[in-house]
Amino acid sequence: MTAGQPLHTDSPAAVHQQHQPVIIKHLPPPPLPASIVPSYPPPESDAAESWVWSQIKAEARRDAEAEPALASFLYATVLSHPSLARSLAFHLANKLCSSTLLSTLLYDLFLATLAAHPSTLRAAAVADLLAARARDPACAGYAHCLLNYKGFLAVQAHRVAHVLWHQGRRALALALQSRVAEVFAVDVHPAAVVGKGVLLDHATGVVIGETAVVGDNVSILHHVTLGGTGKAVGDRHPKIGDGVLIGAGATVLGNVRIGAGAKVGAGSVVLIDVPPRCTAVGNPARLIGGKRQGDNVMPGESMDHTSFIQQWSDYTI
């Protein structure tokens, strides 16, 4: 076949070409259709987002120079994009694409949703990045969180699914939930409400039910369940207040309230309300402690798992 000669559709080469999967990987995103070009101003108009995005790009450049094996990936995912929203949409699309949810479809979906909700979704993503960097000593930087923290990525995808759910696009919202659970091992129902500044630390095995509410500046470790108590319908899942810290492997069941600034110890099973600034530990959990004098930092931000130990040193689980 000569150069420029059309490819016959019945030739073996054409048949092979027609059956090749469409994969976007390590390539700059395609141009957006005019119908979904973002209508929001550039991120430079938002001080927090602009600062975080500049940090991400600087870290990506540094890492690309230090590790050539990642240079193509870092260019395609971060450095080729003009904004955090486009970078996040591109990265999520490549992480979550499948034979059903194509990367091009997901990219357009994520970017359009982020563009339509700049004061909620985009602001929450920035707050989540700041939270991860501040609370997790293992976080190597904002770019590291954006690219590698599956808890962060799962929450951003959930927020898009949450928008779809309230738009009545429930089949797509549930399909996205299923794909996030498959890829990131984080299962959050699209109807669940999740605040900003949320850290899912390690994230593996986190389950959040349909009518659950998670407040702002909450930190949740791996294998935490916010679930129901059985086959009850209606409002049946926990309500987590602002600044709460939930330790690894904890289970909170039923329509109970965990007050602002409370702690749930690792491995605890909570079936009762926990007042603000109290700690629930054990199986079944019992309540201990309260706010200590001069302690104004929320546990969800301080990540202090052990300050209550002297109050229950005689308690065995």
Side-chain angles (χ1 to χ4, degrees):
M1 181 179 295
T2 61
Q5 182 177 351
L7 186 69
H8 296 293
T9 57
D10 56 349
S11 68
V15 172
H16 176 73
Q17 186 180 54
Q18 291 169 3
H19 287 81
Q20 291 301 303
V22 178
I23 299 174
I24 295 181
K25 188 172 183 181
H26 302 335
L27 293 174
L32 287 175
S35 60
I36 63 168
V37 170
S39 59
Y40 52 80
E44 287 71 18
S45 64
D46 185 317
E49 182 174 341
S50 177
W51 185 85
V52 168
W53 178 234
S54 67
Q55 293 295 307
I56 290 171
K57 290 189 293 183
E59 292 168 5
R61 291 190 193 99
R62 177 202 64 199
D63 292 345
E65 292 175 0
E67 183 48 78
L70 294 176
S72 174
F73 167 70
L74 291 168
Y75 175 81
T77 311
V78 176
L79 297 175
S80 65
H81 299 280
S83 68
L84 175 59
R86 287 181 180 247
S87 175
L88 178 59
F90 179 80
H91 189 41
L92 281 173
N94 278 291
K95 282 284 190 181
L96 296 173
C97 64
S98 67
S99 58
T100 302
L101 298 172
L102 300 181
S103 58
T104 49
L105 180 153
L106 289 177
Y107 175 72
D108 291 348
L109 174 66
F110 290 140
L111 187 57
T113 307
L114 288 167
H117 300 84
S119 63
T120 51
L121 271 66
R122 282 172 55 205
V126 171
D128 293 349
L129 286 166
L130 292 169
R133 188 71 177 98
R135 298 176 206 166
D136 184 2
C139 184
Y142 297 100
H144 174 54
C145 179
L146 171 67
L147 299 176
N148 301 321
Y149 270 35
K150 65 179 184 178
F152 169 79
L153 295 171
V155 170
Q156 310 321 308
H158 161 74
R159 292 198 178 104
V160 173
H162 186 71
V163 170
L164 294 172
W165 183 266
H166 286 284
Q167 289 176 343
R169 303 175 70 182
R170 297 194 169 185
L172 182 55
L174 291 169
L176 187 55
Q177 174 201 1
S178 176
R179 185 62 179 158
V180 169
E182 182 180 357
V183 174
F184 298 131
V186 176
D187 193 355
V188 185
H189 193 281
V193 176
V194 177
K196 63 181 183 295
V198 171
L199 171 63
L200 300 187
D201 196 1
H202 301 291
T204 300
V206 170
V207 176
I208 301 177
E210 179 182 9
T211 60
V213 175
V214 177
D216 296 338
N217 301 315
V218 171
S219 293
I220 298 174
L221 275 81
H222 46 289
H223 293 294
V224 165
T225 297
L226 307 179
T229 56
K231 297 176 68 176
V233 296
D235 194 357
R236 61 196 184 279
H237 294 102
K239 311 297 181 283
I240 311 299
D242 295 345
V244 169
L245 173 61
I246 305 180
T251 300
V252 187
L253 298 178
N255 187 14
V256 299
R257 296 187 177 275
I258 311 299
K263 299 181 190 179
V264 177
S268 299
V269 178
V270 180
L271 305 173
I272 58 175
D273 290 348
V274 178
R277 291 289 189 167
C278 283
T279 298
V281 292
N283 180 8
R286 73 171 189 178
L287 303 179
I288 61 173
K291 180 179 178 181
R292 297 179 297 170
Q293 187 174 5
D295 183 9
N296 294 317
V297 180
M298 289 293 205
E301 298 177 62
S302 69
M303 302 295 286
D304 179 6
H305 292 264
T306 60
S307 62
F308 57 87
I309 286 180
Q310 68 272 17
Q311 303 175 50
W312 64 294
S313 58
D314 60 340
Y315 183 71
T316 57
I317 299 177

